[in-house]
Amino acid sequence: MLLEDLEIDAAAFAAGTGWKVEPRGACRAEICVPLGGADGDFDLPDVAARLGMALIHDEQAGLWALGPDTVGGRALGSAQAPDLVLPDLDGTHFALSSLRGQKVLLVAWAPY
């Protein structure tokens, strides 16, 4: 999730991450993580830390990047890749979803 500043509300956080902020904490499906701050203010850096989300500032671009949650600090909450459709070397479109159910290794390279 890319942000221009850290002043977002709980609704924007929920829309961007899937974590709904409730009185008992940040919840997604059956998992709830208690949050600090009983005053009702939404503190993004605190919530990101409690959910194990990386929060990085790029001063040059003036943006913040909020990474995916790890909740235990050991693994991502999901290993599900988004559906990706790219042309192969012959120009035929190939959908990553055609490999569903199989182990897949993605190798990416960029010349910059």
Side-chain angles (χ1 to χ4, degrees), residues 20-109:
K20 184 177 177 186
V21 179
E22 301 177 354
R24 59 187 173 152
C27 301
R28 186 173 64 194
E30 65 278 348
I31 299 172
C32 282
V33 176
L35 300 177
D39 56 5
D41 289 338
F42 182 78
D43 181 12
L44 180 60
D46 180 61
V47 172
R50 289 174 185 265
L51 293 175
M53 297 174 141
L55 183 61
I56 301 182
H57 186 227
D58 182 338
E59 289 184 36
Q60 194 172 31
L63 294 173
W64 288 86
L66 179 65
D69 59 90
T70 61
V71 184
R74 297 177 182 224
L76 295 175
S78 167
Q80 194 170 37
D83 193 20
L84 181 66
V85 179
L86 294 172
D88 63 15
L89 295 175
D90 298 322
T92 305
H93 283 83
F94 176 80
L96 183 62
S97 62
S98 68
L99 301 173
R100 190 171 316 276
Q102 302 176 45
K103 291 182 180 180
V104 177
L105 172 66
L106 295 177
V107 178
W109 176 83

